[in-house]
Amino acid sequence: MSTTRRQFLKIAGLSVFGLGASTALDAADAVAKDMPGAKYEVGGKHLAAKRWAMVIDTRKLESREDYARIIDACHKVHNVPSIPTKQEIKWIWTDKYDRVFTDDMSQHLSPAVREKDYLLLCNHCENPPCVRVCPTKATFKRADGIVVMDYHRCIGCRFCMAGCPYGARSFNFGDPRPYLKEVNPAFPTRMRGVVEKCTFCSERLEVGLLPACVEASNGAILFGDLDDPNSPVRKALAENFSIRRKPSIGTQPGVYYIV
Amino acid sequence: MIEKVLKGSPAFYIWLLFLGGIASLGVFAYIFQLKYGLTITGMSRDVSWGLYISQFTYFVGVAASAVMLVLPAYFHHYKKFKKMIILGEFMAISAVLMCMLFIVTDMGQPQRMLNVILHPTPNSIMFYDMMVLMGYLFINALVGWVTLEAERHDVDPPKRIKFFIYLSVVWAFSIHTVTAFLYAGLPGRHYWLTAIMAARFLSSAFASGPAILLLLVIALRRLTGFDPGREAIQTLTKIITYAMAINVFFFLLEVFTAFYSGMPGHQHPLTFLFVGHDGHASWVVGWMWTAAVLAILSLCLLIPPQIRDNERVLPWALGILVIASWIDKGLGLLIGGFTPNPFETVTEYAPTFPEILVTVGVYAIGLMVLSVLWKIALDVKKEAGTF
């Protein structure tokens, strides 16, 4: 088989292009290795678990101040703006029994239980529908069970909000920064057009601190490893009757309520 | 063939200019949205999708409906559709373009849209939706262009294009099925969590899409004298009638399941849409009843052959059908999915003026693309003597 000049040039051209491309990729790799943030190291003080979970002992929360203290602690540390419209942002908030436990409407609940406020937040599900539907992996589940967001990758399609059965997600319809009274410089503020939600304080666990709401709850909210029988959450669950939100849909929420 | 656009009547250019004017109003509103964010829309934390996504859904159906011409023509060798088929394919192109624009207008961070390709996520239905829409656009552009080129040169289309024509049939079903899966796979949304969703989508698409096409073709006949043939119109009307009857039937199946089972979660969206929920009657109630009445009325006008074949009644029947299906799918489907919200309470949604402006702008862009493509098709047909 004879090779024409034309075929030879084609093959030669392709080879040169291939070689050039692979060297360029190698060079890019080498540069990337030296960039800040290219290596991740776990800090010495970090708290670790196989499956982080939360138990809210609703019996220990009574006054309006109890809830306000917890909510403020979270919203302040995470720069959550207070926007007074339907386009609000909230990571942790309260509502009444029939709105929190929508599929458990006993007709004759005790008035105390019915009228009480309950804390709501992201459930950090075992099978999170939000993670399933996200088209860019901007929201993902970590090995320790925490469902987190990458605000820089989120395209703002809001599929996760349609997917979340718990209404735990908020979207920055506009720029959130004008609605912040004070900014905590230790945590990033968000830009308009991305979705956000509770992170189980993954950034605090990293430095050995418990979540802000847990810390502010005076023992009413417990936090620990669901896979460890000796953890405070497992002990509380073993000793008390607890419920979760919408158990029938198979998401396996990581937030338990002792009622 | 693109040169055909350059030689048109003054009326054609005035029409394009008019659409361009409306489109620029939409672009103007969109610039505001880029500057201030989606806060200028009526969407909220509880109703986080609105008019944009519902219009995207509706026009995926319109795009898919080209198959109702392609399938009889190529699978059953129904020659009468051959004359009109290019119009269907070109309408699919403009409909898919509109879908893409609606997706982009709905994004909070549109400049990051390539993230869907840079970080492909096979567990997300949105990923597949992007792929099937792109694919459908490509297939229709290819098939439309190649067959029209062949028509111009008075030769048979090349054999290899047959593969893409058959592929387009399967693909049309896939785009609307995947779009239905966007909704039907979410555990917390009662109105959407139904196995029949894709079937409902397809039936409503195969009624409304060809109805829009036929309305436009009837308008075209008046304006240019292009006649697709009486029999072709009647056959397509029969297809529309069957599809609409199935569509209404499917909806009634939903009503039966919700109310005979007595499960509150399944009932609430329907009661919200038709009578209001929790003592809260929304503006949607009137629209939904209008849709219900118009759907039945369209069937009354389309099922009896004497009325269906009356060409003076036909445009009215089709128009009524399009309005009914638009309210059902372009409005009720989305609002019913988000209300009641995950807390079983009602958060009202109504599109704002800028939101409507952007939407109408996208319509205008779609219609511009359609006008240009159809002009090319008709001019080629005139030249080739197949007008």
Side-chain angles (χ1 to χ4, degrees):
Chain A
M1 194 182 84
S2 65
T3 314
T4 62
R5 183 188 168 88
R6 187 185 163 86
Q7 278 170 330
F8 172 75
L9 284 174
K10 263 189 195 166
I11 293 165
L14 271 176
S15 318
V16 170
F17 175 76
L19 272 174
S22 65
T23 354
L25 282 175
D26 286 347
D29 265 359
V31 172
K33 263 179 204 147
D34 298 332
M35 297 252 280
K39 274 188 202 153
Y40 297 102
E41 272 168 26
V42 180
K45 283 192 289 180
H46 86 287
L47 299 178
K50 281 201 180 122
R51 166 71 166 116
W52 285 115
M54 183 177 274
V55 174
I56 301 176
D57 192 342
T58 62
R59 298 167 304 186
K60 290 185 183 159
L61 294 167
E62 267 157 22
S63 67
R64 220 166 255 269
E65 289 74 48
D66 286 342
Y67 299 113
R69 196 177 61 245
I70 291 168
I71 294 167
D72 281 355
C74 167
H75 285 186
K76 260 192 195 135
V77 81
H78 294 119
N79 296 320
V80 177
S82 24
I83 299 169
T85 65
K86 288 189 295 184
Q87 300 179 339
E88 67 192 321
I89 313 267
K90 47 191 185 184
W91 285 24
I92 182 166
W93 68 103
T94 62
D95 215 330
K96 299 290 178 207
Y97 189 91
D98 55 345
R99 295 176 180 184
V100 179
F101 305 101
T102 47
D103 52 1
D104 178 38
M105 264 302 284
S106 170
Q107 260 190 326
H108 299 287
L109 267 179
S110 83
V113 171
R114 182 190 288 274
E115 294 310 318
K116 204 176 164 63
D117 282 317
Y118 297 86
L119 283 170
L120 294 107
L121 69 158
C122 170
N123 277 293
H124 297 275
C125 307
E126 195 87 42
N127 304 311
C130 55
V131 171
R132 203 181 307 148
V133 299
C134 177
T136 62
K137 302 190 191 85
T139 191
F140 55 97
K141 199 178 88 173
R142 310 198 318 178
D144 57 5
I146 300 183
V147 177
V148 279
M149 275 289 306
D150 182 343
Y151 307 121
H152 302 282
R153 191 183 281 188
C154 176
I155 58 173
C157 71
R158 308 190 295 297
F159 201 3
C160 56
M161 294 178 78
C164 178
Y166 301 104
R169 292 176 160 267
S170 308
F171 178 68
N172 287 285
F173 284 91
D175 183 6
R177 284 154 196 153
Y179 295 95
L180 289 171
K181 278 188 213 100
E182 46 188 314
V183 174
N184 168 19
F187 196 82
T189 57
R190 271 74 67 195
M191 69 193 301
R192 113 174 103 64
V194 297
V195 172
E196 60 179 75
K197 67 169 196 74
C198 155
T199 62
F200 255 8
C201 282
S202 56
E203 83 288 355
R204 287 169 61 91
L205 297 173
E206 221 50 64
V207 293
L209 296 170
L210 281 173
C213 58
V214 176
E215 210 168 69
S217 71
N218 295 336
I221 305 178
L222 304 170
F223 194 72
D225 191 348
L226 207 58
D227 278 7
D228 174 8
N230 296 315
S231 70
V233 286
R234 278 291 292 276
K235 278 186 186 153
L237 293 176
E239 286 160 15
N240 298 281
F241 172 72
S242 62
I243 54 174
R244 289 188 288 179
R245 294 177 66 198
K246 304 191 183 182
S248 64
I249 55 176
T251 51
Q252 298 293 353
V255 176
Y256 293 75
Y257 295 83
I258 298 174
V259 183
Chain B
M1 290 187 287
I2 200 91
E3 76 279 359
K4 304 283 179 219
V5 188
L6 302 172
K7 235 167 51 187
S9 65
F12 175 68
Y13 293 115
I14 291 171
W15 169 241
L16 284 189
L17 213 61
F18 167 72
L19 290 176
I22 296 176
S24 54
L25 283 179
V27 171
F28 182 68
Y30 183 64
I31 289 171
F32 263 85
Q33 187 183 302
L34 279 180
K35 193 163 161 52
Y36 297 104
L38 286 157
T39 186
I40 64 160
T41 69
M43 291 183 259
S44 60
R45 194 179 187 278
D46 288 343
V47 187
S48 46
W49 281 340
L51 200 56
Y52 301 150
I53 290 295
S54 70
Q55 297 319 292
F56 151 76
T57 311
Y58 191 78
F59 281 96
V60 175
V62 174
S65 72
V67 76
M68 288 293 107
L69 291 175
V70 177
L71 197 150
Y74 286 97
F75 279 20
H76 302 281
H77 305 286
Y78 184 70
K79 298 246 161 35
K80 296 278 190 321
F81 273 173
K82 287 256 160 104
K83 201 173 168 188
M84 200 165 38
I85 217 161
I86 187 74
L87 300 181
E89 283 160 350
F90 280 175
M91 189 173 87
I93 293 177
S94 79
V96 174
L97 281 175
M98 286 164 77
C99 292
M100 291 175 167
L101 286 175
F102 278 122
I103 289 279
V104 173
T105 52
D106 186 69
M107 279 183 184
Q109 289 289 337
Q111 77 279 21
R112 293 183 189 163
M113 66 181 146
L114 284 181
N115 278 4
V116 181
I117 297 163
L118 293 172
H119 309 286
T121 315
N123 48 281
S124 174
I125 300 295
M126 196 85 87
F127 173 69
Y128 295 97
D129 213 27
M130 180 207 67
M131 289 203 301
V132 290
L133 278 180
M134 298 255 202
Y136 196 63
L137 182 66
F138 169 75
I139 292 172
N140 273 290
L142 181 77
V143 170
W145 209 255
V146 169
T147 48
L148 192 63
E149 188 82 52
E151 196 171 327
R152 179 158 91 136
H153 296 301
D154 200 14
V155 291
D156 281 336
K159 280 256 156 55
R160 60 180 180 274
I161 203 69
K162 274 271 163 71
F163 169 75
F164 289 98
I165 291 170
Y166 293 146
L167 187 65
S168 82
V169 172
V170 184
W171 213 280
F173 284 88
S174 86
I175 61 167
H176 218 28
T177 303
V178 171
T179 307
F181 284 176
L182 285 178
Y183 295 96
L186 307 177
R189 308 282 171 189
H190 309 301
Y191 195 47
W192 298 339
L193 188 70
T194 164
I196 211 173
M197 188 60 97
R200 271 186 73 194
F201 268 34
L202 286 167
S203 63
S204 113
F206 295 155
S208 60
I212 292 174
L213 179 72
L214 213 45
L215 279 173
L216 290 170
V217 167
I218 290 169
L220 207 61
R221 190 169 60 183
R222 280 220 164 166
L223 293 169
T224 67
F226 171 79
D227 190 3
R230 196 176 156 76
E231 203 190 310
I233 291 181
Q234 286 183 356
T235 308
L236 194 56
T237 313
K238 272 186 206 122
I239 291 174
I240 294 168
T241 310
Y242 273 109
M244 188 60 179
I246 294 170
N247 183 33
V248 170
F249 174 64
F250 282 172
F251 179 76
L252 293 175
L253 294 184
E254 297 273 26
V255 175
F256 169 79
T257 303
F259 288 92
Y260 193 79
S261 71
M263 289 174 71
H266 291 276
Q267 293 172 2
H268 288 163
L270 283 167
T271 46
F272 170 75
L273 289 174
F274 283 96
V275 290
H277 173 72
D278 219 2
H280 189 116
S282 159
W283 60 275
V284 197
V285 170
W287 286 75
M288 289 311 288
W289 280 109
T290 310
V293 172
L294 292 184
I296 301 298
L297 186 62
S298 74
L299 284 181
C300 291
L301 292 176
L302 286 171
I303 291 174
Q306 313 88 290
I307 314 180
R308 181 174 67 230
D309 292 342
N310 182 339
E311 293 216 353
R312 285 173 66 190
V313 183
L314 185 62
W316 294 100
L318 295 174
I320 288 168
L321 182 148
V322 171
I323 295 169
S325 71
W326 186 85
I327 296 173
D328 166 39
K329 196 160 150 196
L331 210 62
L333 176 92
L334 197 118
I335 296 178
F338 280 109
T339 355
N341 57 29
F343 315 103
E344 297 295 338
T345 57
V346 172
T347 306
E348 275 269 14
Y349 164 77
T352 58
F353 182 65
E355 198 175 355
I356 294 171
L357 218 54
V358 171
T359 304
V360 173
V362 174
Y363 286 172
I365 293 171
L367 213 47
M368 267 169 99
V369 172
L370 185 71
S371 305
V372 167
L373 289 175
W374 277 18
K375 161 118 177 78
I376 294 171
L378 291 186
D379 279 2
V380 167
K381 278 180 184 294
K382 264 185 204 156
E383 243 179 43
T386 49
F387 191 68

